Amino acid sequence: MAIAGLGFASRSHFPFRPPLVYCIRKVRHSRSVAVETLVEPDGLIKDEGHNPVSSRERVDNSDRKAPDWKKLSSKDLGITTSMIAKPTRLVLNGLRKKGYDVYLVGGCVRDLILKRTPKDFDIITSAELKEVMRTFSRCEIVGRRFPICHVHVDDTIVEVSSFSTSGRKSHRDSSYVFRRPPGCDEHDYIRWRNCLQRDFTINGLMFDPYANLVYDYMGGMEDIRKAKVRTVIPASTSFLEDCGEYFVAILHVNFARILRAVRIAARLGFRFTRETAHSVKDLSCSVLRLDKGRLLMEMNYLLAFGSAEASLRLLWKFGLLEILLPIQAAYFVSVGFRRRDKRYNMLLSLFSNLDGLLAPDRPCHNSLWVGILAFHKALLDQPRDPLVVAAFSLAVHSGGDLLEAVNIARRINQPHDQSYHELLESQNLDSDKALMDEVMDLAASVKAALCKMTDEYFVSQAMAEHPQAPYSDLVFIPLALSLRVSRVFECVRRGKEKGFVPKRGSKIDYERLALGSLQEVRHMFARVVFDTIYPINMNQGDSPTPT
């Protein structure tokens, strides 16, 4: 999109028992510190130049009764050490210098293999956590039941876990035991036991950047090749055990792991295996013992990291949307949405445009996607003239300068997208006052919609007309976040904020966006809304521009 004077540019592309299914009715300040400088002796990670592993070092398990496991050359997989973030390399080298074994584990290894930028890097080491603490000057142990170390490198936190801690976790919590693969030496066995604790096979990979080896004990490489999400242990049990403890009743489903499955499938474009899909669907109406803070965190992972549209589609497909976001699920029902439909679902279009500006390592603050949900709900309750929507988004961007917003909106010569039910035919809004009144009314409607989204009664009524849907009055948006979202739009009703400087140019400051900078959030909101109402391709690829 391109609007003169605002700097909007074209969109960037950047043994088991059967589970009991129980439907619940109710359903930083950033600390910048430094790590001590470490001299990198020979053999430690540099940006490039590692030696390939010969084919003789690869080991295959030929026992058909046990899962196949392999040692693969990282060079053959296309992994270079320059793909590892510099703070992570510093921590790896610090521990390696002390003589400890260190590995990258989990989703970061998967993403490196897929040539994707990992959201973060997780390290596991043979060192005890107290030894990790002694290695780095800025380090702390966090977590009670399963502690890990947070090593601070400038503004980055690198998480480091210990084999000894994870081993105690495995011994206490895992009731499912795989047969030890033949050919395992003691080091293999320790690594294998740790990978056995992972949620999905594609997260059960371990990378030694010094031996240039990727260890695949759970069949993760095969599932990456097939683009499948498969649980390490049988799905019905996996989704009941993630809390790490056995409850008196087997009624608390592992909702967190279910949401992680959706997140991974959405982000990678993978599909669930048949068993995993059945378990997600069968257990979707149960609510585990997750506090609302954790639930908000999981939803933020789904919607703020560049795969929100795909996440919403999967949540809908597996019956999760009507539990987590009943208001939005009711909208899907009202428009007769089918999972493969593309154009006319405005909510998905909004999040698709948001996705085009985000990435796993460039997320937005949760106030942005909550604000988009509230904005769409307001339009759903009362459809508006596209000129009103355009002026509203511009007013948000300018910090409440309605006059400037109206002047720019009137100069738009691009036709709007007519496929959305939320947009009216052009109304008689010849006077600036009439247009300003409509814009302020929309701002009031957005605030009312946000109140509905955080009110259990309104949430519970969303799916009332659909008795086949599970009842849910779940509200996980806390008051503090609701107030923060309100501030994004309040300027439209109160007038231009004193001292607010609208963002100029199209460059996004992702660090400030992730922290919830009002300027960045408003800029992104206006950009997403404008790209949705006036798509670039509506006029042979031209952007809407003022006359």
Side-chain angles (χ1 to χ4, degrees):
M1 136 178 91
I3 300 180
L6 289 183
F8 287 172
S10 60
R11 156 184 324 118
S12 302
H13 294 290
F14 318 150
F16 298 134
R17 47 194 153 181
L20 300 177
V21 179
Y22 179 71
C23 291
I24 306 294
R25 284 288 174 184
K26 300 185 72 168
V27 190
R28 108 189 144 170
H29 174 70
S30 178
R31 189 153 61 108
S32 299
V33 291
V35 175
E36 59 192 54
T37 302
L38 298 172
V39 179
E40 297 186 357
D42 292 340
L44 297 189
I45 297 178
K46 296 179 173 57
D47 282 352
E48 296 288 350
H50 53 271
N51 297 321
V53 177
S54 70
S55 59
R56 287 177 298 180
E57 291 181 83
R58 301 180 188 173
V59 180
D60 285 298
N61 173 23
S62 59
D63 188 345
R64 299 287 183 179
K65 296 180 181 179
D68 288 340
W69 63 283
K70 301 176 182 179
K71 298 178 183 179
L72 304 171
S73 163
S74 60
K75 184 173 183 180
D76 289 349
L77 295 174
I79 301 176
T80 62
T81 55
S82 64
M83 298 163 69
I84 304 172
K86 187 175 180 179
T88 304
R89 294 202 305 267
L90 181 60
V91 175
L92 288 167
N93 286 333
L95 291 168
R96 179 73 171 181
K97 179 188 175 186
K98 296 286 188 178
Y100 302 116
D101 294 331
V102 283
Y103 306 88
L104 293 177
V105 290
C108 66
V109 183
R110 172 203 73 211
D111 288 343
L112 292 175
I113 292 169
L114 290 170
K115 306 301 183 290
R116 291 172 172 266
T117 302
K119 179 174 68 68
D120 47 35
F121 292 86
D122 292 329
I123 296 173
I124 191 165
T125 178
S126 60
E128 298 283 347
L129 294 185
K130 290 183 179 180
E131 293 167 332
V132 177
M133 288 275 290
R134 286 194 288 267
T135 302
F136 302 101
S137 59
R138 295 295 183 266
C139 180
E140 59 189 350
I141 296 177
V142 300
R144 292 182 179 180
R145 298 189 62 250
F146 307 121
I148 61 173
C149 277
H150 277 180
V151 181
H152 295 260
V153 184
D154 297 326
D155 292 332
T156 302
I157 294 178
V158 180
E159 291 191 356
V160 181
S161 58
S162 169
F163 278 115
S164 62
T165 304
S166 64
R168 292 194 295 270
K169 171 184 174 181
S170 172
H171 178 75
R172 179 165 63 249
D173 289 341
S174 180
S175 64
Y176 191 87
V177 179
F178 277 121
R179 177 182 175 183
R180 177 172 175 168
C184 263
D185 60 23
E186 190 58 33
H187 291 290
D188 272 318
Y189 182 63
I190 292 171
R191 290 187 292 260
W192 173 78
R193 284 293 299 270
N194 182 266
C195 292
L196 186 61
Q197 300 167 38
R198 305 289 162 178
D199 45 10
F200 306 104
T201 59
I202 58 177
N203 290 344
L205 299 162
M206 193 172 289
F207 172 36
D208 183 340
Y210 303 97
N212 305 314
L213 284 174
V214 171
Y215 298 91
D216 176 18
Y217 299 99
M218 301 298 148
M221 286 301 303
E222 180 68 10
D223 284 330
I224 287 176
R225 186 183 68 81
K226 293 179 178 178
K228 293 286 189 179
V229 177
R230 181 195 313 273
T231 54
V232 169
I233 63 177
S236 58
T237 300
S238 177
F239 292 143
L240 290 166
E241 288 191 339
D242 187 63
C243 294
E245 64 188 43
Y246 294 101
F247 301 113
V248 176
I250 194 171
L251 300 177
H252 302 289
V253 179
N254 176 12
F255 210 33
R257 185 166 285 184
I258 289 175
L259 291 179
R260 285 202 298 275
V262 171
R263 181 210 316 167
I264 291 169
R267 189 172 295 173
L268 302 180
F270 282 18
R271 295 188 176 189
F272 297 137
T273 61
R274 186 186 300 270
E275 182 199 17
T276 304
H278 284 324
S279 291
V280 169
K281 191 124 188 172
D282 290 345
L283 301 175
S284 64
C285 68
S286 299
V287 178
L288 82 169
R289 260 167 98 176
L290 260 184
D291 62 37
K292 293 181 180 179
R294 175 66 183 276
L295 197 51
L296 175 64
M297 181 185 74
E298 294 293 341
M299 287 300 296
N300 194 58
Y301 284 144
L302 288 166
L303 300 180
F305 287 77
S307 56
E309 182 196 0
S311 296
L312 289 171
R313 289 178 181 274
L314 286 176
L315 290 173
W316 173 251
K317 177 183 179 181
F318 289 97
L320 291 160
L321 194 65
E322 54 262 42
I323 299 170
L324 292 165
L325 298 171
I327 291 175
Q328 285 67 38
Y331 164 71
F332 274 44
V333 173
S334 69
V335 297
F337 176 72
R338 298 293 181 268
R339 193 169 58 89
R340 297 184 186 277
D341 292 343
K342 295 289 184 183
R343 290 290 305 159
Y344 65 85
N345 189 305
M346 186 179 186
L347 183 63
L348 291 182
S349 295
L350 287 164
F351 278 103
S352 176
N353 286 320
L354 178 64
D355 290 341
L357 300 169
L358 303 176
D361 61 333
R362 297 181 303 182
C364 68
H365 190 267
N366 52 23
S367 60
L368 179 55
W369 59 261
V370 173
I372 290 174
L373 291 176
F375 164 76
H376 177 261
K377 171 60 177 168
L379 284 187
L380 186 61
D381 290 343
Q382 185 178 344
R384 305 279 177 166
D385 185 308
L387 185 63
V388 173
V389 178
F392 172 77
S393 66
L394 295 169
V396 170
H397 175 271
S398 65
D401 192 337
L402 265 180
L403 185 58
E404 180 187 59
V406 166
N407 288 336
I408 295 174
R410 288 199 183 281
R411 300 201 304 269
I412 297 170
N413 64 1
Q414 173 81 8
H416 69 275
D417 192 325
Q418 300 181 29
S419 63
Y420 302 127
H421 304 290
E422 296 87 342
L423 298 180
L424 298 173
E425 294 296 327
S426 296
Q427 307 294 296
N428 183 18
L429 295 170
D430 293 334
S431 75
D432 287 352
K433 183 179 185 307
L435 180 52
M436 289 181 182
D437 288 343
E438 286 290 325
V439 170
M440 287 191 288
D441 189 63
L442 176 53
S445 296
V446 173
K447 182 176 181 179
L450 183 61
C451 290
K452 290 179 181 179
M453 288 171 51
T454 54
D455 185 285
E456 291 183 358
Y457 173 76
F458 282 104
V459 170
S460 68
Q461 293 301 301
M463 299 295 289
E465 296 180 5
H466 310 284
Q468 76 280 9
Y471 173 90
S472 175
D473 61 357
L474 177 63
V475 174
F476 56 82
I477 301 171
L479 177 61
L481 177 56
S482 176
L483 294 174
R484 189 164 190 162
V485 176
S486 293
R487 191 182 170 201
V488 173
F489 306 108
E490 193 63 30
C491 60
V492 180
R493 300 173 63 203
R494 293 186 175 181
K496 186 174 181 179
E497 291 182 351
K498 185 177 180 180
F500 181 81
V501 180
K503 184 179 179 66
R504 303 291 173 178
S506 61
K507 186 176 181 180
I508 300 167
D509 187 330
Y510 284 100
E511 182 176 352
R512 295 184 71 221
L513 178 65
L515 294 173
S517 159
L518 198 56
Q519 184 191 54
E520 291 294 334
V521 169
R522 285 176 174 169
H523 171 76
M524 287 285 280
F525 173 84
R527 193 165 171 174
V528 167
V529 170
F530 206 97
D531 278 353
T532 303
I533 307 304
Y534 297 96
I536 293 173
N537 59 2
M538 286 295 293
N539 191 17
Q540 290 78 46
D542 293 334
S543 300
T545 56
T547 56

